[in-house]
Amino acid sequence: MRSKIVAGNWKMNQTFEKADELLYQIGEKLEDNLPKNVELVICPPALYLELATDFAQEIEFKIGAQNVSEYDNGAYTGEISAQMLSSMDMDYCIVGHSERRKYFGESSDVLSTKVQRLLEYGIQPIFCVGEQLEERESNKYFDIVKSQISEGIFNLSLSEFSNVVIAYEPVWAIGTGKTASPEQAQEMHAYIRNLVSDKYGVEMADETTILYGGSCNAKNAKELFSQTDVDGGLIGGAALNAEDFITIANSF
Ligand code: PEP
């Protein structure tokens, strides 16, 4: 059976003290409200990964990085390699977030290399795809998502692919308060699962975890997660509030 995952992407938020406080609050909430059969993942800024790993020794959650270098170790000032992340016991790493594609010009080639690096070091990529507003309005959204997936992860072998989590994040829904309707999310998730089935077979498609991201919150998570092909969420803003994040994790 495929896993259900709720992952919190903290983006470039929180001071060290605030990160510590938020992790502590999440730990407290989890004591009385531990979600069943759901994997919780926290993706803090890289500077706080060690802090989060310390908390994860006591509390039931996994840790993800928000980014990884496309390069191996060496003279790449400011970069963090997949080997470094692996040496800090990272479970996951987000790749292809629309903010990285847009503000840092990350192309499909770069993203595909990042995915390879992570897999070489046993870290599961959470590979994000999603269309812009004008692409939805001009009915190009299936084609856009198809090419992002084909170019980013369909070069993988079956066994490599089995370690990838996909996140469908319509760009027009990220941080805007405009969530995709449960029907829109289901339609795209089913489409993605079909693409996986055509490429890797029905069994693999059935095992692939596909998350929804884009203004998912404590109020709308239940309806989104009740859709057949929605296996959880990648949560931005609402992951910065312990109560909301745990409510979302308990929304299956
Ligand atoms: C995200 O950035 O991955 C995201 C889903 O953000 P938000 O939940 O704030 O829309």
Side-chain angles (χ1 to χ4, degrees), residues 9 11 97 169 173-175 213-215 234-237:
N9 174 13
K11 310 195 189 188
H97 192 284
E169 299 206 300
I174 297 180
S215 299
L234 179 54
I235 317 298

Side-chain angles (χ1 to χ4, degrees), residues 4 21 57 92 113 118 144 148 159 175 203-204 226 235:
K4 293 191 186 312
E21 197 180 311
Q57 316 243 323
Y92 291 95
T113 309
L118 291 168
I144 294 294
Q148 290 171 337
S159 77
E203 246 175 71
M204 186 71 265
S226 69
I235 317 298

Side-chain angles (χ1 to χ4, degrees), residues 39 41-57 61-68 80-94 117-126 163:
E39 209 171 273
V41 182
I42 296 181
C43 306
L47 268 182
Y48 312 145
L49 285 172
E50 190 178 357
L51 176 72
T53 346
D54 286 347
F55 269 89
Q57 316 243 323
F61 61 75
K62 302 217 166 176
I63 313 288
Q66 295 177 18
N67 189 23
V68 65
I80 295 176
S81 72
Q83 188 181 29
M84 292 173 183
L85 293 177
S86 145
S87 72
M88 292 190 61
D89 296 327
M90 264 341 84
D91 303 292
Y92 291 95
C93 180
I94 300 171
R117 296 261 178 247
L118 291 168
L119 292 171
E120 275 163 33
Y121 287 98
I123 300 170
Q124 289 191 256
I126 300 178
N163 290 306

Side-chain angles (χ1 to χ4, degrees), residues 3 7 104 147 178 204 236 246:
S3 332
F104 302 94
S147 59
K178 270 194 220 160
M204 186 71 265
I246 302 308

Side-chain angles (χ1 to χ4, degrees), residues 6-252:
V6 170
N9 174 13
W10 289 10
K11 310 195 189 188
M12 195 171 72
N13 289 300
Q14 310 297 57
T15 58
F16 183 79
E17 287 74 20
K18 289 226 164 104
D20 188 54
E21 197 180 311
L22 181 53
L23 287 164
Y24 180 79
Q25 289 169 350
I26 290 173
E28 267 194 335
K29 304 264 173 232
L30 282 176
E31 270 175 22
D32 338 304
N33 235 333
L34 190 66
K36 287 184 199 76
N37 308 319
V38 181
E39 209 171 273
L40 266 196
V41 182
I42 296 181
C43 306
L47 268 182
Y48 312 145
L49 285 172
E50 190 178 357
L51 176 72
T53 346
D54 286 347
F55 269 89
Q57 316 243 323
E58 313 280 321
I59 313 168
E60 284 278 322
F61 61 75
K62 302 217 166 176
I63 313 288
Q66 295 177 18
N67 189 23
V68 65
S69 178
E70 73 195 273
Y71 302 110
D72 228 328
N73 301 301
Y76 299 101
T77 303
E79 290 288 270
I80 295 176
S81 72
Q83 188 181 29
M84 292 173 183
L85 293 177
S86 145
S87 72
M88 292 190 61
D89 296 327
M90 264 341 84
D91 303 292
Y92 291 95
C93 180
I94 300 171
V95 181
H97 192 284
S98 64
E99 288 151 16
R100 301 277 337 158
R101 291 178 191 262
K102 180 174 171 195
Y103 302 127
F104 302 94
E106 293 190 356
S107 64
S108 287
D109 274 0
V110 166
L111 298 176
S112 155
T113 309
K114 289 186 175 202
V115 167
Q116 290 280 1
R117 296 261 178 247
L118 291 168
L119 292 171
E120 275 163 33
Y121 287 98
I123 300 170
Q124 289 191 256
I126 300 178
F127 188 76
C128 304
V129 294
E131 79 284 358
Q132 319 254 4
L133 184 60
E134 57 279 16
E135 292 161 345
R136 174 147 288 261
E137 287 174 347
S138 56
N139 281 325
K140 292 193 190 123
Y141 49 105
F142 287 131
D143 289 347
I144 294 294
V145 167
K146 184 178 184 180
S147 59
Q148 290 171 337
I149 289 186
S150 314
E151 291 165 13
I153 49 178
F154 273 3
N155 58 329
L156 300 173
S157 68
L158 180 71
S159 77
E160 287 170 330
F161 185 85
S162 67
N163 290 306
V164 174
V165 170
I166 298 174
Y168 169 55
E169 299 206 300
V171 181
W172 47 271
I174 297 180
T176 58
K178 270 194 220 160
T179 319
S181 68
E183 296 73 25
Q184 286 172 321
Q186 169 56 27
E187 183 188 38
M188 181 57 87
H189 283 229
Y191 175 74
I192 293 172
R193 207 175 294 287
N194 255 322
L195 292 177
V196 176
S197 175
D198 289 347
K199 173 79 187 171
Y200 294 104
V202 187
E203 246 175 71
M204 186 71 265
D206 210 40
E207 290 293 309
T208 303
T209 297
I210 309 174
L211 309 180
Y212 168 79
S215 299
C216 181
N217 59 39
K219 292 206 176 99
N220 60 27
K222 215 177 189 78
E223 223 189 328
L224 285 161
F225 296 174
S226 69
Q227 303 302 307
T228 322
D229 289 292
V230 178
D231 306 313
L234 179 54
I235 317 298
L240 297 172
N241 178 297
E243 179 145 5
D244 288 353
F245 186 56
I246 302 308
T247 305
I248 294 170
N250 279 293
S251 295
F252 289 91

